[in-house]
Amino acid sequence: MPDNPVGFCFLSAVPLRSDPTDCAEMVDQFIFADTFDLLERQEKWTYVRSHYDGYEGWLDNKQFKLLNVRQYEEVRHWQSKGSYGRSIRIDGVFV
């Protein structure tokens, strides 16, 4: 498990913004099942770093799920099997 709290993208595509506002430039995007470190939390936005390519930016708090250690291990196991395109179950719930 990474040192920082970890997030999981449960939507098909989520914009990663340069600043914590919907009007800010989109610097990257996450797709379903991407994971990332949470570096700074605000009321509506969180500054994150991608596990895939190291990009950093702001995500809307409504657009990701915070993972605990067990959930993170479930996601990593699912990713290691090359299961993209199939549903993933976290804590018994398909996302």
Side-chain angles (χ1 to χ4, degrees):
M1 179 83 176
D3 294 335
N4 296 307
V6 173
F8 172 81
C9 179
F10 64 88
L11 299 170
S12 57
V14 173
L16 187 65
R17 304 278 183 190
S18 60
D19 293 298
T21 174
D22 290 319
C23 298
E25 174 187 6
M26 186 174 87
V27 295
D28 200 2
Q29 72 176 2
F30 289 129
I31 59 172
F32 178 74
D34 279 346
T35 57
F36 41 89
D37 292 326
L38 282 61
L39 305 176
E40 178 186 339
R41 290 214 48 154
Q42 295 183 358
E43 183 180 345
K44 295 183 180 181
W45 294 88
T46 298
Y47 192 73
V48 302
R49 180 185 308 119
S50 169
H51 288 169
Y52 176 70
D53 57 15
Y55 269 76
E56 294 184 7
W58 293 93
L59 285 179
D60 185 311
N61 289 340
K62 297 183 301 285
Q63 296 180 320
F64 69 90
K65 176 176 178 49
L66 186 62
L67 300 179
N68 62 36
V69 174
R70 184 177 40 73
Q71 292 168 330
Y72 177 71
E73 293 304 323
E74 286 180 35
V75 169
R76 297 297 295 159
H77 177 72
W78 179 83
Q79 290 171 331
S80 72
K81 294 169 110 180
S83 298
Y84 293 97
R86 295 172 51 199
S87 296
I88 180 173
R89 186 170 29 194
I90 299 176
D91 288 341
V93 176
F94 285 100
V95 293

